[in-house]
Amino acid sequence: MKLVFPNLNYKEKAIEFINEFYEYNSEINGSGSLDRYLRESTYEEWLNKVLNDMDVANIVQPRVPALTYFYVREEDDKIVGMVNLRLALNDFLRAEGGHIGYGIRPTERRKHYATDMLTAALDVYRTLAFKEVIITCDKCNIASANVIKNCNGELASESYSETYKELIQRYIIKI
């Protein structure tokens, strides 16, 4: 498995990845808005957005700089997951969104990919000299909470989100 920066070579695989979430009526997380861009624009426009998200000096608030990666199984070059790594936090992200958003395609869940992908994401943060990251999940998402705990996440708080209309658990991972 490896993290792969999005590029044109992955266009069809990325579309297939997002379509699987629709097919399984599953929530999409960590895609860096790929799902929205595929509905409203194009994959190529999304690639431009991903590049612009890295332009730390020119991010328009309330957006924050971020890196987005595909998590690819090397044997068949299949996109198994996506992860969005935010390099800064605004007030909303500090309370409800955290540094990391991630998702595994429905047919590849329960295979430990999420824990492995989150571990790879934490390695990126280590490289960038982060000391800790905040990561959140819905309280009812037991699988995500377990992934976070598998990566040494410590529950810091729980609060009701007016945005999501549910309890959000906020974890801190020391790196």
Side-chain angles (χ1 to χ4, degrees):
M1 301 298 294
K2 63 181 177 178
L3 293 175
V4 173
F5 193 75
N7 58 67
L8 277 175
N9 295 333
Y10 280 91
K11 179 178 180 176
E12 294 308 315
K13 291 175 188 213
I15 292 168
E16 175 190 304
F17 174 82
I18 292 298
N19 284 339
E20 185 173 307
F21 285 86
Y22 295 135
E23 180 183 339
Y24 284 81
N25 195 30
S26 181
E27 188 174 340
I28 301 171
N29 293 303
S31 76
S33 301
L34 174 59
D35 53 317
R36 184 172 58 82
Y37 272 78
L38 292 177
R39 278 192 321 271
E40 300 171 6
S41 185
T42 65
Y43 180 80
E44 291 78 7
E45 285 297 316
W46 176 75
L47 286 177
N48 286 333
K49 177 236 181 252
V50 168
L51 289 172
N52 289 335
D53 282 350
M54 296 182 344
D55 186 358
V56 176
N58 294 300
I59 291 289
V60 178
Q61 294 203 5
R63 296 194 52 75
V64 298
L67 302 169
T68 301
Y69 292 99
F70 297 133
Y71 193 57
V72 175
R73 186 169 47 218
E74 294 178 79
E75 302 89 71
D76 58 3
D77 207 35
K78 183 177 186 176
I79 299 172
V80 171
M82 286 187 73
V83 62
N84 182 257
L85 312 176
R86 298 173 194 106
L87 304 178
L89 298 178
N90 57 31
D91 290 341
F92 172 78
L93 291 172
R94 195 170 292 104
E96 297 187 28
H99 284 96
I100 304 172
Y102 65 92
I104 299 293
R105 68 189 309 149
T107 58
E108 297 292 346
R109 293 178 181 158
R110 299 186 176 272
K111 299 178 183 178
H112 301 285
Y113 287 131
T115 297
D116 294 343
M117 183 173 65
L118 183 53
T119 299
L122 293 171
D123 286 343
V124 173
Y125 281 105
R126 271 186 207 90
T127 300
L128 297 171
F130 277 67
K131 300 295 183 221
E132 67 179 30
V133 297
I134 297 169
I135 187 165
T136 65
C137 67
D138 307 337
K139 184 171 183 167
C140 63
N141 190 341
I142 306 297
S144 189
N146 285 333
V147 166
I148 296 166
K149 291 174 190 173
N150 287 343
C151 293
N152 299 315
E154 296 287 332
L155 183 62
S157 63
E158 280 185 2
S159 60
Y160 184 77
S161 167
E162 287 297 330
T163 303
Y164 299 115
K165 305 294 184 215
E166 59 193 329
L167 276 176
I168 300 293
Q169 293 184 319
R170 187 174 169 273
Y171 292 84
I172 295 178
I173 301 176
K174 304 276 186 196
I175 44 181

